Amino acid sequence: MTQVEVDIVNALGLHLRAAARFVEVAGGYPCAVKVSAGAHEVDGKSLLGLSSLLARQGSTLHIRCDGPEEGECAAALRALVADGFPGIKSA
Amino acid sequence: MPHRQPTPLHGVACAPGRAAGRLFRFVPVGVARPPGPGEVEALERAVAEVRTALAPAGEARGSADEDLTALADVQRGLLADPLLIGRAREAIQGGASPVDAVEEAVVAAEAMLRGIGDPVMAARADDVRSLGDRLHAALLGQLHPPLPPWPVILCARTIPADVLLELAVPRGAGPRPVRALLLERGGPLTHTAILARQRGLPVIGGLEGLLDRVRDGDAVLVDGDRGEAVLHPDREAIRRFHERGPLRTDRPASALQQWANIDLPEDAAVARRRGAAGIALFRTDGLLDRRGAAPPVAAQADAYARALQAWPHGTVVIRLFDDPGTGPLGPRGIRALDHAPARLGDQVEALGRAAARAPDTHLVLLAPMVTSPVELDRLAAVVAARWPADSPPPIAGVMVETPAAALDLDPLLDRVAHVAVGTNDLLQLTVGADREDPAVAALLDAEHPALWTLLERIGQRCAERGIPAIVCGALAAEPRHRARLASLGFTGVGVGLADLPGSASPQG
């Protein structure tokens, strides 16, 4: 299992479109992905789950990947969040 | 009949604006056999179908429409969501029918989102419902009904935001096919409402049970500012409604677009600054000398190019020489095919050369005084012979200004993609009174029922085909005629520079 923590830097936080990008990246790896921002943990491949975290700018995401390619997956998701969801306008 | 009584409707104000019109019930049609219990493949097919439908919506509009692309991304995410589709799949594997399984998953997702206690998340619940409706339609083989060829006020349970945009944005230079939206579900934070607000489309949500209470064609007044509507308004309701504020459809962006009629190439840029939707009519006769001779091809091309270059990505309609000085019944306009073929060929070539210098501008080649499709075919042959091969081809347009063209319009519409209506000529030819002759001036009544019978016919025929139809002529400049022209299916009016909305502004 690989665990990473990353702060949300973009102004709008983990809003729906950012979450959609997260899910898209997570969906590209076979491992399971769990995400929490506080007590609540959700499926990192679920758009509904992720957006229900209401993770705002400045909050910390805990990403837990378990299974094949977990290291690559965790690194890719970490970079996506740390870079503020590049490519999304008004993120 | 009791249901014809004026009936106030109170809903949730989702997007401001005021509109009046006829209702159209936007309910899916063509129900097929619903898939049976356990048919997981039916769900997969429906998901794939909805996903495919999403993709071109975003791409067809190009990168300009960031909202649609964003929306498609989100919907694609939902279509892969374990909490939604995964749950439905499990329910089907557990023996549920796909339609029930989707309903169950949507209801659960809605409850989850509303349970968060955040208004934005609650609005996402409406978006999930909207996607669920779409999946149901795909499962049942349902299709959206085609809209009638005139602007409507759409009544639906939900409308996905991207479908709304497909329906509610003008096609080409046309008016909005949808003037306002009445929804049984939804509130101001749904994607549909957000996008509607951005585009100035009035929306009222939360009108539970509305679809069962209305019929297609019911008259309705919509006040999106207050979230109120009046079904079957009587004269008193109409009077009160209009006292409260202007119709959204009175504005050029949402009803008739205001295009510019110009005589000089330089005026094309002025028209753009003043907010014209395009050039409805560049009358090229100003280039002719007193004997009707045209300048050399190169000089003509310069003039046309100047007009075209003022409208990158816009539309400039250039009318062939019309020779109005030869009298209303003389060898005018397209009749140059016979009386001035060399000059006509040169003009076509000059236009072609100009088109190459403004490749991003849509050039409509407008043929005046047409009475028969043969004339358009002969003109097409001239274009084929003289238009430079490396120039973007022109869009064929016809000026409908003779009763012959108005009465036998279909063969002309088979050959063009743009219509301009010359009401000055149409009126004088209909009542048989020369507009240059003051002795018969009183006969030139713009309210003449015969003129409006022809206009109605032209507007409807063009609307049926989705061909932009712009009314040029004196009556187009009079605001009192505009609502009527819009209701007949016309998409715009062509007016002089002084009548453009921005003409009073300092930059004009």
Side-chain angles (χ1 to χ4, degrees):
Chain A
M1 192 179 65
T2 306
Q3 254 181 304
V4 292
E5 287 186 5
V6 58
D7 290 343
I8 294 180
V9 296
N10 56 305
L12 294 183
L14 195 59
H15 63 104
L16 202 56
R17 196 169 176 213
R21 179 61 59 82
F22 190 102
V23 165
E24 196 186 324
V25 173
Y29 295 92
C31 58
V33 179
K34 297 286 180 192
V35 181
S36 63
H40 192 41
E41 187 179 69
V42 298
D43 186 340
K45 297 187 178 185
S46 166
L47 179 54
L48 292 170
L50 278 177
S51 45
S52 74
L53 291 175
L54 297 180
R56 318 265 189 223
Q57 185 180 31
S59 53
T60 303
L61 286 187
H62 303 264
I63 303 171
R64 206 154 55 83
C65 300
D66 195 8
E69 299 178 36
E70 59 183 47
E72 295 90 327
C73 180
L77 291 173
R78 191 184 172 287
L80 178 71
V81 179
D83 291 343
F85 299 91
I88 298 181
K89 251 193 206 167
S90 60
Chain B
M1 290 186 290
H3 67 273
R4 308 298 296 177
Q5 295 297 316
T7 311
L9 304 171
H10 300 279
V12 181
C14 293
R18 302 160 63 77
R22 301 282 165 173
L23 270 179
F24 182 71
R25 296 168 79 254
F26 197 66
V27 287
V29 292
V31 181
R33 182 191 70 85
E39 289 186 32
V40 179
E41 320 75 52
L43 176 69
E44 311 298 353
R45 277 197 305 273
V47 168
E49 186 184 320
V50 173
R51 188 183 288 124
T52 309
L54 291 175
E59 284 158 22
R61 286 169 189 286
S63 55
D65 215 324
E66 179 74 12
D67 299 330
L68 265 188
T69 316
L71 199 69
D73 284 355
V74 169
Q75 298 212 312
R76 261 188 281 272
L78 289 174
L79 284 171
D81 200 311
L83 283 179
L84 189 69
I85 304 305
R87 181 170 291 172
R89 194 179 290 120
E90 283 165 20
I92 298 170
Q93 283 158 350
S97 82
V99 171
D100 291 345
V102 165
E103 183 63 19
E104 186 185 318
V106 166
V107 167
E110 280 186 295
M112 188 272 277
L113 288 166
R114 292 193 202 283
I116 295 170
D118 178 279
V120 175
M121 287 299 122
R124 297 291 81 79
D126 287 319
D127 293 329
V128 170
R129 165 54 64 189
S130 176
L131 190 69
D133 283 355
R134 215 163 166 177
L135 283 170
H136 277 153
L139 284 167
L140 295 168
Q142 294 170 328
L143 298 168
H144 287 309
L147 292 185
W150 53 84
V152 293
I153 289 173
L154 217 58
C155 174
R157 180 158 85 141
T158 62
I159 288 200
D162 58 326
V163 173
L164 168 72
L165 291 186
E166 286 297 318
L167 297 170
V169 296
R171 281 184 290 264
R176 295 170 185 280
V178 175
R179 286 182 174 161
L181 207 55
L182 302 179
L183 297 176
E184 293 192 328
R185 300 281 303 253
L189 294 173
T190 60
H191 277 131
T192 301
I194 291 165
L195 294 190
R197 279 199 296 278
Q198 287 172 1
R199 283 156 176 80
L201 185 76
V203 179
I204 301 176
L207 295 165
E208 283 290 346
L210 182 63
L211 281 169
D212 293 333
R213 296 169 57 193
V214 298
R215 297 180 306 183
D216 287 349
D218 282 351
V220 67
L221 305 172
V222 177
D223 184 341
D225 304 359
R226 296 165 183 247
E228 292 171 5
V230 183
L231 201 56
H232 316 302
D234 57 10
R235 282 189 188 179
E236 177 60 17
I238 291 169
R239 189 187 60 76
R240 278 201 310 270
F241 180 79
H242 289 284
E243 271 174 7
R244 282 189 183 165
L247 287 180
R248 171 75 63 176
T249 47
D250 288 339
R251 299 181 188 183
S254 54
L256 284 183
Q257 292 182 317
Q258 293 200 53
W259 295 54
N261 300 337
I262 61 171
D263 294 289
L264 300 169
E266 293 70 31
D267 289 342
V270 178
R272 180 152 210 156
R273 283 200 301 276
R274 293 187 184 177
I279 301 299
L281 195 58
F282 174 12
R283 305 182 191 93
T284 53
D285 301 289
L287 297 172
L288 299 175
D289 68 17
R290 279 193 304 169
R291 288 165 300 130
V297 171
Q300 279 190 59
D302 284 346
Y304 304 143
R306 281 203 301 282
L308 294 171
Q309 285 162 353
W311 284 86
H313 306 291
T315 302
V316 175
V317 181
I318 303 185
R319 188 177 69 182
L320 295 170
F321 297 129
D322 189 34
D323 300 291
T326 57
L329 308 176
R332 294 174 48 197
I334 196 62
R335 297 164 192 180
L337 283 165
D338 292 313
H339 80 88
R343 194 190 70 182
L344 175 65
D346 284 353
Q347 186 178 25
V348 166
E349 182 177 333
L351 286 164
R353 289 195 201 175
R357 288 156 63 182
D360 293 332
T361 305
H362 303 292
L363 191 175
V364 177
L365 185 70
L366 190 69
M369 285 303 285
V370 170
T371 57
S372 124
V374 175
E375 292 160 337
L376 292 179
D377 291 341
R378 291 179 62 197
L379 176 62
V382 174
V383 171
R386 298 293 296 270
W387 200 267
D390 50 356
S391 285
I395 297 163
V398 66
M399 188 110 196
V400 177
E401 55 192 334
T402 64
L407 291 168
D408 195 25
L409 192 55
D410 281 317
L412 304 181
L413 296 185
D414 289 339
R415 291 164 168 79
V416 300
H418 184 95
V419 165
V421 183
T423 53
N424 298 342
D425 271 309
L426 190 58
L427 177 58
Q428 75 169 344
L429 296 172
T430 298
V431 299
D434 185 346
R435 64 185 155 118
E436 302 294 326
D437 186 344
V440 292
L443 292 170
L444 295 164
D445 173 13
E447 311 273 353
H448 198 296
L451 175 67
W452 286 89
T453 301
L454 294 175
L455 288 174
E456 181 175 359
R457 191 182 175 88
I458 298 164
Q460 282 180 353
R461 288 287 200 280
C462 292
E464 279 167 15
R465 298 179 185 235
I467 294 178
I470 315 274
V471 178
C472 306
L475 77 82
E478 293 185 44
R480 66 196 164 98
H481 293 307
R482 289 194 185 148
R484 191 167 175 193
L485 289 172
S487 74
L488 294 181
F490 291 102
T491 56
V493 290
V495 300
L497 291 180
D499 290 315
L500 286 171
S503 58
S505 68
Q507 85 251 19

